[in-house]
Amino acid sequence: MTAPRSARIALLPGDGIGPEVVAAGRDTLEAVARAFGHEFTFVEAGIGGAAIDATGQPLPPDTLALCRSADAVLLGAVGGPRWTGAVRPEQGLLGLRRGLGVFANIRPVVVWPESSGSSPIKADRLAGVDLVVVRELTGGIYFGEKTLTGAAGAERATDLCVYTTDEIARVTRVAAAFAQARRGRLTSVDKANVLETSRLWRRVVTEVVRSEFPHVALDHLLVDTCAMDLVRWPAAFDVILTENMFGDILTDEAAMLAGSIGLLPSASLGEGAGIRPVRGLYEPIHGSAPDIAGKGVANPVGTILSAAMLLRYSLGLDEEAAVVERAARAAVAEGVVTPDLAANGAAARTGDVTRRIVASIVDRLTCPTPVSMLHP
Ligand code: IPM
Ligand code: MG
């Protein structure tokens, strides 16, 4: 058992279902603190549309400062149909990722047999799926120069995609470290048959892996082929490394393997990730889901598993993270699930699922099958 420790955790609820799922994440972390004798303090701040309403800015400077001073950040979601102007909620999230320097976005996709029935993919393809997508998060087309010129009806818009050697090398090191600690396979995904940035990507990834990670088996896939193989042979993947926009798209696709996008967590990490605990930003990948906001039916599991990643990668609390993962899986196995996973209307509410998971953590109940979530 790890020594008691204290940590300061920033909570950014954001928009839509964000506040509901972040509350579930906080309950989970408080349960861990109680069960293991840690002392976690929470500080809350605004981001996204909620912050635009309150301050006119999607990332108020106080929010960024608070996150920089915290040990870790747990975020819900940003965005919604109410904010369509030039100042957008998503700018807050992109600014935060950049401002925290969290260039490596870790998105594990593990198929639990207990929830795989909800996947649109045939069961025989899902057995043994346990992959991690490492998505570059602070470069590429998301952050390149944007222009919109010309008169109405004859406009011209551009989004520049830029990558440097350093940006590619540092995220490759994180992905290769993950591969090394897992099954030793790394698949780098690009569009090198068309894009100059992808040709640089492929060259740098190859050099870094060859010189620094000689035991990692590297292969390259074009992004269109990868999209196909993710539904054709998903169990063949171990670690997928890719650039910002390809990673955004492929992880929504990969989420469908698990059964619901509401199950998937993420960690965004900076320098030192995979080697030692580092400050990180943790968020479910599902987005703000305005259609179900405030109804108490959002799936809290993606955020709760994000809290588990927070414990592991920012606080170095591996045992605690595993307890949270087992508790979440046990709730799903028992059928205590929100409507996105409930087969015939027997759905639980966000609060019911959270309470079930919290109770397991407090009791330190364990699920018989170990959850292979991810390492290192
Ligand atoms: C994600 C989201 C974000 C992204 C949006 C909300 C800006 O889709 O984290 O995958 O595109 O990165
Ligand atoms: Mg996305």
Side-chain angles (χ1 to χ4, degrees), residues 291-316:
D291 52 321
I292 56 163
K295 297 188 175 152
V297 296
N299 190 341
V301 172
T303 308
I304 288 172
L305 293 176
S306 300
M309 295 183 86
L310 181 158
L311 293 165
R312 179 176 289 125
Y313 298 120
S314 283
L315 307 184

Side-chain angles (χ1 to χ4, degrees), residues 181-263:
R182 290 172 47 98
R183 303 194 300 275
R185 286 208 48 208
L186 179 62
T187 303
S188 174
V189 175
D190 60 38
K191 188 72 184 172
N193 53 346
V194 177
L195 302 177
E196 202 57 50
T197 41
S198 281
R199 287 190 274 272
L200 178 64
W201 182 277
R202 194 174 279 219
R203 186 151 50 80
V204 174
V205 170
T206 304
E207 281 163 13
V208 169
V209 173
R210 188 179 294 151
S211 60
E212 299 175 34
F213 301 87
H215 302 300
V216 168
L218 171 69
D219 59 352
H220 302 274
L221 267 189
L222 296 174
V223 64
D224 43 356
T225 311
C226 180
M228 184 171 67
D229 284 355
L230 267 175
V231 291
R232 193 164 56 155
W233 309 118
F237 289 104
D238 182 7
V239 178
I240 294 174
L241 164 64
T242 192
E243 64 94 68
N244 204 343
M245 188 162 73
F246 297 160
D248 177 47
I249 298 167
L250 293 175
T251 50
D252 269 29
E253 185 194 7
M256 288 299 97
L257 301 166
S260 168
I261 197 167
L263 288 172

Side-chain angles (χ1 to χ4, degrees), residues 107 135 248 252 285:
R107 297 188 167 186
R135 167 189 176 193
D248 177 47
D252 269 29
I285 81 160

Side-chain angles (χ1 to χ4, degrees), residues 72-320:
V73 183
L74 184 68
L75 182 144
V78 299
R82 285 183 40 219
W83 302 282
T84 53
V87 181
R88 297 188 57 89
E90 291 79 3
Q91 292 161 350
L93 181 55
L94 300 189
L96 181 65
R97 290 169 174 173
R98 224 196 196 162
L100 292 176
V102 288
F103 56 82
N105 180 223
I106 316 300
R107 297 188 167 186
V109 181
V110 181
V111 175
W112 293 339
E114 297 88 346
S115 49
S116 62
S118 301
S119 171
I121 309 296
K122 286 181 184 153
D124 64 323
R125 304 300 167 105
L126 296 174
V129 171
D130 178 354
L131 63 90
V132 178
V133 179
V134 178
R135 167 189 176 193
E136 199 293 324
L137 201 62
T138 55
I141 199 166
Y142 272 57
F143 289 92
E145 190 195 345
K146 299 174 189 309
T147 65
L148 175 61
T149 53
E155 291 134 301
R156 183 169 186 275
T158 67
D159 296 277
L160 192 63
C161 184
V162 183
Y163 270 110
T164 64
T165 304
D166 281 354
E167 285 173 322
I168 301 166
R170 66 186 183 176
V171 73
T172 300
R173 289 187 186 103
V174 174
F178 270 76
Q180 194 160 262
R182 290 172 47 98
R183 303 194 300 275
R185 286 208 48 208
L186 179 62
T187 303
S188 174
V189 175
D190 60 38
K191 188 72 184 172
N193 53 346
V194 177
L195 302 177
E196 202 57 50
T197 41
S198 281
R199 287 190 274 272
L200 178 64
W201 182 277
R202 194 174 279 219
R203 186 151 50 80
V204 174
V205 170
T206 304
E207 281 163 13
V208 169
V209 173
R210 188 179 294 151
S211 60
E212 299 175 34
F213 301 87
H215 302 300
V216 168
L218 171 69
D219 59 352
H220 302 274
L221 267 189
L222 296 174
V223 64
D224 43 356
T225 311
C226 180
M228 184 171 67
D229 284 355
L230 267 175
V231 291
R232 193 164 56 155
W233 309 118
F237 289 104
D238 182 7
V239 178
I240 294 174
L241 164 64
T242 192
E243 64 94 68
N244 204 343
M245 188 162 73
F246 297 160
D248 177 47
I249 298 167
L250 293 175
T251 50
D252 269 29
E253 185 194 7
M256 288 299 97
L257 301 166
S260 168
I261 197 167
L263 288 172
L264 290 208
S266 82
S268 303
L269 308 172
E271 219 61 68
I275 301 164
R276 57 185 155 81
V278 290
R279 187 185 324 110
L281 167 65
Y282 299 85
E283 45 176 322
I285 81 160
H286 52 57
S288 62
D291 52 321
I292 56 163
K295 297 188 175 152
V297 296
N299 190 341
V301 172
T303 308
I304 288 172
L305 293 176
S306 300
M309 295 183 86
L310 181 158
L311 293 165
R312 179 176 289 125
Y313 298 120
S314 283
L315 307 184
L317 300 175
D318 291 352
E319 186 189 343
E320 288 81 343

